[in-house]
Amino acid sequence: MSRRRFLGRAAGLGASAWAFPALVPARAFGAADRVRVGFIGVRNQGTNNLKALLSRDDAEVAALCDVDRDVLAAASNLVSDRLGRVVPSFHDYRELLDRPDIDAVLITTPDHWHALPTVHACQAGKDVYCEKPLSLTVAEGRTMATAARTHDRVVQTGSQQRSAPEFRRAAEAVRNGRLGTIRSITVGLPGVNFDGPAVPDAEPPAALDYNFWLGPAPDRPYNPKQVHYLFRFFWPYSGGQMTNFGAHHLDIVQWALGRDDSGPVHVEPVSVEYHPEGWYEVPRTSEVVYTYDDGVRVRCRQGLGDPSGIRFEGTEGSIFVARGRLQADPEELLSEPSGPDAVRLEESRDHHQNWIDCIRERRRPICDVEVGHRSATLCHLGNIAARLGRSIRWDPDRETIPGDSEAGAMLSRPYRKPWALDI
C-alpha cells in the first residue's frame, strides 16, 4: 500500500489511521542523547543487528516489528533480558513508523520488502539503515534514493565491507594508481547454500502472517523452503548469490573504480547453470562479465570454486581482498597514500557507528542509499543478462537498457495489489 492509501485503507492487514507529515526534521541531539531505533525484521541478520545495537551507548532499541509471531517473541525476550524492560512490538511496520519517539529504523527483511518500508520511513521522517542488497529491482532502488533526498533522510545501506579496513586499503590502492593500468578484476562469489532437497507446498504456520510476508510479491502458495533465509533463492523475493554476496563484492569494485555514481556499459553472461532438479530458481553457477566505458572488465564468477573476494590485476601488480584477508604482489602496493594529490577514502571501522554518527551530524553515510542503489544495480543487471541468456547494454546516466524492451521491462516488477510504491 502506498502512503497515499494509508488513511483508512488496510486491505485486511489490521491497519489503523496514519497521518505522516511530508518531512519531520531530525531532532537536535545532545551529547547524552541516544538515537532511538525501531527494528523492522528481527530474524537471522536482524537478530545480529539487534545484538549490535543493544551493545551500544549511543543508540536505544526502542521498538520491534516482525510478521512472524514466534520470531518477534524471541527478539522481544532478547531485548527484555538485556534491558530489563519490554519494548513495544508490532506486527505491522507502519504502526512502528507512526510513533513520534522513533528516530530511525533498521530494516532487515527479505529483499522484496526493502523498498516499501524504506520509502515509508523517509516519508515519516525517520532515518534508515537498510540491509543489502538495497533493492529487488533497479526501479525500486531509484525510488528509494529519490525518497531519501526528497525527505532529507540519512539512509545507510548494510554493505558493511566499506567499514572494514582491508577493503578500504585495497580500494584506496586502486584509486591511487598503485596497480598501474587495471587489466582485469575477478569477483568470486560462493555457491548456493540452499538446504535441499525441495519440499511440497504446505499450509503456513499459524505464527506467520504469510499474506503480509508476501506483501508486494506475486501470490504464491506457502513453501517452508522459500521463506526466512531461503527466500534469497527464488526470483519473486531475491536474486541468489548474485544479490547476496555480489552486493558486497561488486560494491567494493565500484568503490575502487570510483564509480559510485555510475556503472558499467555492457553486461555479458558467459555461462549460466541451474539446479538439475529445480530445487530453487536462481542460477546454481554463473559467470557474468561487466565492461566499463574505459575498457575495464570485471569477471563475476558465482559457485565456480573461486575464493570469495576480489582480485585486482594491473600492469604493476595485483591485490586480492576478502573478509579478514588482504594480499598484494608486491607488498608495497599497500603502502599508505601520501602527497597532496593522494586519494583518501572515507574511513569507517564500524558500519552501525557510521550510521549513528551521520544521523546525529546530518551527513551522508559511507554507503549512502545512492551508493547502495548503484551497487545493487550491477547485481540486477547480471541477473537480467543471465536470465535472458544474452548480453545487454546499459546506460548508467539514464539508467536504461537502450534498444532492448524485453530486458528493459525487467528493471522493474509489478506489485501485488493493494501495495504500490510511490513518493
Side-chain angles (χ1 to χ4, degrees):
M1 212 176 268
S2 71
R3 177 186 169 223
R4 295 190 180 101
R5 301 181 197 171
F6 275 3
L7 204 58
R9 287 282 315 273
L13 296 176
S16 58
W18 288 266
F20 291 163
L23 172 63
V24 178
R27 66 185 175 100
F29 289 94
D33 289 337
R34 294 186 294 174
V35 176
R36 299 174 299 225
V37 181
F39 287 74
I40 302 173
V42 288
R43 182 185 170 98
N44 295 330
Q45 182 63 15
T47 302
N48 295 333
N49 286 328
L50 186 58
K51 290 178 178 177
L53 263 71
L54 280 169
S55 67
R56 307 191 63 87
D57 295 328
D58 53 5
E60 175 186 346
V61 176
L64 307 172
C65 179
D66 204 285
V67 297
D68 189 311
R69 187 170 62 244
D70 290 345
V71 170
L72 186 59
S76 181
N77 289 336
L78 172 66
V79 173
S80 61
D81 288 346
R82 179 63 180 270
L83 300 181
R85 58 182 174 83
V86 176
V87 301
S89 295
F90 300 95
H91 174 82
D92 188 325
Y93 74 91
R94 295 167 298 180
E95 295 182 13
L96 183 152
L97 294 180
D98 199 32
R99 291 183 65 95
D101 60 337
I102 301 294
D103 299 312
V105 294
L106 201 158
I107 300 169
T108 318
T109 57
D111 302 357
H112 72 290
W113 262 116
H114 283 181
L116 281 168
T118 295
V119 170
H120 291 160
C122 290
Q123 292 172 334
K126 318 298 184 186
D127 297 312
V128 180
Y129 183 116
C130 183
E131 273 297 344
K132 42 57 59 185
L134 182 73
S135 60
L136 183 69
T137 67
V138 174
E140 280 188 344
R142 175 48 57 208
T143 302
M144 295 162 81
T146 299
R149 297 294 182 261
T150 299
H151 300 285
D152 195 23
R153 296 298 94 196
V154 174
V155 181
Q156 172 89 294
T157 309
S159 300
Q160 74 269 18
Q161 289 183 173
R162 290 218 177 195
S163 293
E166 63 270 23
F167 291 101
R168 179 187 57 79
R169 291 182 64 195
E172 209 165 61
V174 175
R175 290 280 284 273
N176 281 285
R178 294 288 175 78
L179 276 68
T181 301
I182 298 295
R183 287 175 169 167
S184 67
I185 301 171
T186 302
V187 174
L189 305 181
V192 171
N193 55 334
F194 183 80
D195 182 19
V199 298
D201 296 336
E203 288 296 315
L208 175 66
D209 185 341
Y210 180 60
N211 184 58
F212 208 157
W213 186 92
L214 280 175
D219 195 4
R220 276 190 175 188
Y222 170 81
N223 188 290
K225 291 197 175 180
Q226 295 185 23
V227 298
H228 296 319
Y229 180 83
L230 298 177
F231 75 85
R232 69 186 67 255
F233 304 120
F234 296 88
W235 292 123
Y237 323 121
S238 188
Q241 291 291 24
M242 176 64 84
T243 55
N244 185 26
F245 257 91
H248 284 301
H249 293 341
L250 290 171
D251 177 65
I252 299 303
V253 170
Q254 288 272 102
W255 200 22
L257 295 180
R259 299 292 186 137
D260 279 346
D261 59 350
S262 182
V265 295
H266 188 263
V267 186
E268 176 188 5
V270 176
S271 66
V272 183
E273 178 215 5
Y274 293 92
H275 191 279
E277 298 178 42
W279 286 1
Y280 44 84
E281 296 172 349
V282 301
R284 185 183 192 182
T285 66
S286 65
E287 182 173 352
V288 176
V289 176
Y290 300 90
T291 304
Y292 287 78
D293 58 8
D294 59 359
V296 171
R297 289 163 59 89
V298 179
R299 190 173 297 274
C300 185
R301 293 168 50 83
Q302 179 250 315
L304 295 171
D306 302 77
S308 180
I310 311 116
R311 180 173 296 280
F312 300 93
E313 299 276 354
T315 54
E316 304 299 322
S318 65
I319 291 175
F320 177 79
V321 62
R323 294 184 180 182
R325 182 180 173 190
L326 180 60
Q327 297 174 320
D329 182 19
E331 292 185 4
E332 53 264 29
L333 293 176
L334 297 174
S335 58
E336 288 293 326
S338 60
D341 297 327
V343 176
R344 296 185 180 276
L345 300 177
E346 180 179 355
E347 184 172 357
S348 163
R349 294 187 176 274
D350 184 310
H351 215 54
H352 293 112
Q353 179 72 63
N354 178 262
W355 179 53
I356 297 297
D357 289 345
C358 290
I359 290 174
R360 297 172 67 92
E361 299 165 13
R362 307 316 297 167
R363 59 184 173 87
R364 293 181 186 177
I366 192 169
C367 199
D368 174 63
V369 60
E370 179 70 26
V371 173
H373 163 58
R374 292 290 186 165
S375 294
T377 292
L378 265 70
C379 305
H380 300 324
L381 293 175
N383 276 335
I384 289 172
R387 296 180 74 177
L388 292 175
R390 56 179 170 81
S391 299
I392 58 174
R393 291 184 298 127
W394 177 244
D395 184 335
D397 295 325
R398 295 178 175 83
E399 295 190 305
T400 60
I401 300 175
D404 191 332
S405 59
E406 183 182 18
M410 298 173 75
L411 296 174
S412 63
R413 300 184 196 179
Y415 272 22
R416 185 172 68 115
K417 293 181 179 180
W419 300 100
L421 183 66
D422 61 29
I423 53 174

